[in-house]
Amino acid sequence: MAATARSGLVKLLCSSALLLLCCFLLPGALAEERFYEFVVQETLVKRLCKAQKIITVNGQFPGPTIEVFNGDTVAIKAVNLAQYNVTLHWHGLRQLRNGWADGPEFVTQCPIRPGGSYTYRFTIQDQEGTLWWHAHSSWLRATVHGALIIHPRRGLPYPFPKPHKEFPVILAEWWRRDPIAVLRQSMITGAPPNVSDAFLINGQPGDFLPCSSQETSIIPVVAGETSLLRIINAAMNTELFVSLAGHKMTVVAADAMYTKPFETTVVLLGPGQTTDVLVTAHAAPGRYYLAARAYASAQGVPFDNTTATAIFQYKNAPGCPTTAGAGAGAGASMGANTFSGPVGRSSARASGSHLGRTGPQPMLPFLPAFNDTNTATAFSNSLRSPKPVKVPGPVTQEVFTTVGFGLFNCRPGPFCQGPNNTRFGASMNNVSFQLPNTVSLLQAHYHHIPGVFTDDFPPFPPVFFDFTSQNIPRALWQPVKGTRLYRVKYGAVVQIVFQDTGIFAAEEHPMHIHGYHFYVLATGFGNYDPRRDAAKFNLVDPPSRNTIGVPVGGWAVVRFVADNPGVWLVHCHIDAHLTGGLAMALLVEDGESQLEATVAPPLDLPICVL
């Protein structure tokens, strides 16, 4: 009898131990390895009445959506069949110790040459939400981009009621010519690049642009159900307001970090940023415009003044096809424009029979004026972490850096067509960032190759002045070119103050830090004053971002722990500004253990060829 009892006890203990072991191993056991092949190639498409060739991935525009789970391992083989060099960046992924998979050209890798290939390998580590991927070489990301959706680990819920459906909403810009040609013209003349001809939602301009209404993007919904819209600003150079007619949006995440939910009628996204919103279909069954147009914060600077639209369409709404998006043909007149201001160059074209596919006229939303900084600020200030966080401190390394424009002096002529016979530029702390072309920065650091960069990026501006004045002396307008990195000790608590300047024009700059998420402690207008403004820091529930909009004529303070060794680009995500040199890079040293050091480079890492 005693032996039987002991046997039963052993079985019980073994079962309990096995169950406990399963609890620890289950998340890892459920993780999967996912493989994709991305063929970068030229594809013929038609937009705005014109057929033209663009660079795509797998012939798709936008490119394929990557859907994975937290914990998954991903391998993406990029095959370059285009005529341009290319790299791919997984925007917002931390790439812990693995900068080789990060992607910015000549920062972490040499480009993939035409005819070549490279496999990006990485593991999703404790991240979930909406990110995106895009080309990070020249201006290819104008058409080479797509959604990267990370679901919670299998079996784990969202921190909000599960939506009935989920839809990526990818915002982009469109030129009637090759974006690379637009960039090259700017590089030759020294003038800022031409603005885009239209904005897109999921690859289409929508009803207000010519030859577009039959392909307007449709978001099908069912009355009473809640949808999750994963909004991504993939535009090259423009911050965008987004609004949905007849519905409120509940913001639940930004940059793949959950937020304290709040209701809004307008969402603001800078290039590179993502925002997740819940929308319940509680309006009268019908058709409603989802619209996007520019937030243009720089005074007197040209911008794309068109409006992109998609249609939020109820299933079985009166006059609508049974299947969302079925059918074609012209609709009735657009009627009165109820936007809060002109819809731009497209407004004169919106009075004809421009209705997206078949169905009644959609309702138009309210959108802020293009220069409505108050609305932009109110939205950004509403973002909070969902619960109190432990903000790292005390600060052990601090950088105060200006972000803004500059003008290079040169002799008047065809190569000096910037303002007042100059060449357009941009800088951080008066250093206009220059990329190497013989080896990447990460390779130079890892292999101790001299002469590629210096590690003396200035932690403070060389001259302190009234940064946001409209009358900055011209002697301060000209930056110096250089490849200067800022060295950071592993484990340091880093605080960066981004200060906009009024040189040429103050403008909101979406600053992106590769390899890191950071807490946004405060933003404000005017010149940052640590004695005055440190009291404004949110040390309770600041939002965590990977891209922060530095307010026009203002500043932003971010903080993070340097726990990811490697070389990580810090730059404005407006590509016209990045091209002008508005960037720098952090060189984060290895820690003491092997698990605190950059991993060895993969064998198929592309080689630079002059």
Side-chain angles (χ1 to χ4, degrees):
M1 187 74 172
T4 303
R6 283 196 299 271
S7 175
L9 180 61
V10 169
K11 289 181 179 179
L12 178 62
L13 290 174
C14 287
S15 299
S16 300
L18 183 61
L19 180 61
L20 185 62
L21 182 63
C22 285
C23 289
F24 281 109
L25 295 181
L26 191 57
L30 290 177
E32 291 185 1
E33 295 184 3
R34 294 176 174 269
F35 178 81
Y36 298 83
E37 184 172 78
F38 276 16
V39 178
V40 181
Q41 60 191 37
E42 194 174 68
T43 302
L44 183 66
V45 301
K46 187 175 183 179
R47 297 291 187 279
L48 305 183
C49 311
K50 179 185 177 184
Q52 63 190 80
K53 293 179 179 179
I54 64 172
I55 306 301
T56 66
V57 167
N58 298 348
Q60 300 177 37
F61 177 63
T65 294
I66 296 176
E67 258 187 287
V68 296
F69 289 83
N70 185 8
D72 284 354
T73 297
V74 183
I76 302 166
K77 183 178 181 180
V79 180
N80 187 8
L81 299 185
Q83 68 269 40
Y84 304 114
N85 296 335
V86 70
T87 66
L88 297 178
H89 171 54
W90 321 96
H91 187 108
L93 275 182
R94 295 224 38 210
Q95 304 288 10
L96 291 170
R97 303 171 51 229
N98 184 28
W100 312 110
D102 192 43
E105 183 180 45
F106 292 116
V107 177
T108 61
Q109 68 168 96
C110 296
I112 306 169
R113 305 287 174 174
S117 66
Y118 175 50
T119 300
Y120 294 89
R121 298 176 176 87
F122 50 84
T123 299
I124 311 295
Q125 300 184 57
D126 297 323
Q127 290 188 264
E128 56 189 68
T130 304
L131 296 174
W132 64 300
W133 59 266
H134 60 82
H136 211 302
S137 48
S138 188
W139 270 25
L140 287 181
R141 84 170 176 88
T143 55
V144 178
H145 59 249
L148 171 55
I149 297 171
I150 308 172
H151 296 286
R153 292 184 185 272
R154 291 166 180 80
L156 297 182
Y158 293 125
F160 46 80
K162 183 178 180 180
H164 296 87
K165 292 181 180 178
E166 302 181 11
F167 300 97
V169 177
I170 302 176
L171 314 174
E173 284 178 277
W174 183 262
W175 281 262
R176 284 191 172 94
R177 53 190 296 220
D178 183 356
I180 305 299
V182 174
L183 173 62
R184 285 176 176 169
Q185 178 182 349
S186 172
M187 298 294 288
I188 292 171
T189 64
N194 293 339
V195 300
S196 54
D197 295 297
F199 298 118
L200 311 176
I201 298 179
N202 289 342
Q204 295 293 338
D207 287 356
F208 295 160
L209 279 296
C211 305
S212 301
S213 62
Q214 297 306 310
E215 287 77 31
T216 296
S217 299
I218 303 291
I219 300 174
V221 296
V222 176
E225 294 187 349
T226 298
S227 298
L228 177 64
L229 305 184
R230 299 178 178 272
I231 309 174
I232 299 165
N233 187 353
M236 294 291 289
N237 299 318
T238 309
E239 298 195 279
L240 291 165
F241 286 123
V242 180
S243 187
L244 174 61
H247 299 75
K248 287 188 176 182
M249 299 173 282
T250 300
V251 176
V252 292
D255 288 357
M257 297 296 291
Y258 294 118
T259 64
K260 189 172 294 181
F262 67 95
E263 278 193 348
T264 184
T265 57
V266 177
V267 172
L268 172 71
L269 303 97
Q273 292 182 325
T274 71
T275 304
D276 292 359
V277 299
L278 294 174
V279 180
T280 300
H282 54 60
R287 310 171 86 221
Y288 300 83
Y289 277 127
L290 177 74
R293 77 170 176 194
Y295 167 50
S297 58
Q299 294 185 14
V301 176
F303 67 95
D304 184 339
N305 196 23
T306 61
T307 300
T309 55
I311 297 175
F312 200 72
Q313 180 167 296
Y314 281 66
K315 183 180 180 181
N316 297 328
C320 293
T322 302
T323 303
S333 170
M334 289 294 297
N337 175 18
T338 57
F339 282 93
S340 60
V343 296
R345 297 196 302 265
S346 59
S347 58
R349 302 165 182 154
S351 60
S353 56
H354 281 224
L355 280 177
R357 310 190 186 180
T358 300
Q361 175 181 328
M363 179 185 293
L364 286 162
F366 172 91
L367 273 173
F370 70 88
N371 58 355
D372 191 344
T373 294
N374 289 336
T375 294
T377 303
F379 176 82
S380 298
N381 289 346
S382 298
L383 295 167
R384 292 284 188 272
S385 288
K387 58 184 179 181
V389 299
K390 185 177 181 181
V391 177
V395 174
T396 58
Q397 289 189 242
E398 184 168 11
V399 176
F400 180 106
T401 179
T402 57
V403 292
F405 303 123
L407 299 175
F408 291 100
N409 294 328
C410 58
R411 292 182 180 180
F415 306 114
C416 297
Q417 296 184 27
N420 300 316
N421 297 311
T422 60
R423 289 185 64 84
F424 179 78
S427 69
M428 298 178 65
N429 275 352
N430 208 48
V431 180
S432 185
F433 191 68
Q434 304 294 297
L435 289 170
N437 60 9
T438 57
V439 68
S440 75
L441 296 173
L442 182 57
Q443 287 172 295
H445 164 60
Y446 187 86
H447 295 294
H448 307 287
I449 302 173
V452 178
F453 64 84
T454 59
D455 60 358
D456 59 348
F457 178 85
F460 299 99
V463 177
F464 277 81
F465 55 96
D466 184 358
F467 300 113
T468 55
S469 169
Q470 294 184 351
N471 297 298
I472 297 173
R474 289 300 179 98
L476 299 173
W477 284 40
Q478 181 153 325
V480 295
K481 296 182 179 182
T483 309
R484 302 169 69 177
L485 279 56
Y486 180 74
R487 185 175 290 271
V488 180
K489 291 186 177 297
Y490 183 89
V493 176
V494 181
Q495 181 167 292
I496 301 179
V497 179
F498 295 109
Q499 173 70 61
D500 187 27
T501 76
I503 294 175
F504 181 59
E507 183 170 353
E508 179 156 313
H509 295 282
M511 298 301 298
H512 174 45
I513 302 180
H514 287 232
Y516 286 92
H517 269 76
F518 47 78
Y519 289 113
V520 181
L521 301 188
T523 60
F525 293 97
N527 298 324
Y528 175 74
D529 182 340
R531 292 170 296 181
R532 176 194 66 207
D533 295 323
K536 303 175 183 177
F537 287 4
N538 178 3
L539 300 176
V540 178
D541 59 353
S544 182
R545 306 295 303 258
N546 64 56
T547 306
I548 174 62
V550 179
V552 52
W555 50 267
V557 181
V558 306
R559 191 182 295 180
F560 59 92
V561 176
D563 58 357
N564 194 10
V567 177
W568 304 104
L569 190 63
V570 180
H571 67 97
C572 181
H573 220 277
I574 294 176
D575 271 38
H577 302 175
L578 171 60
T579 303
L582 212 168
M584 54 88 74
L586 302 173
L587 193 167
V588 181
E589 299 174 345
D590 289 347
E592 296 180 358
S593 72
Q594 185 177 357
L595 295 179
E596 295 174 345
T598 300
V599 300
L603 296 177
D604 63 338
L605 189 70
I607 298 173
C608 286
V609 179
L610 291 179

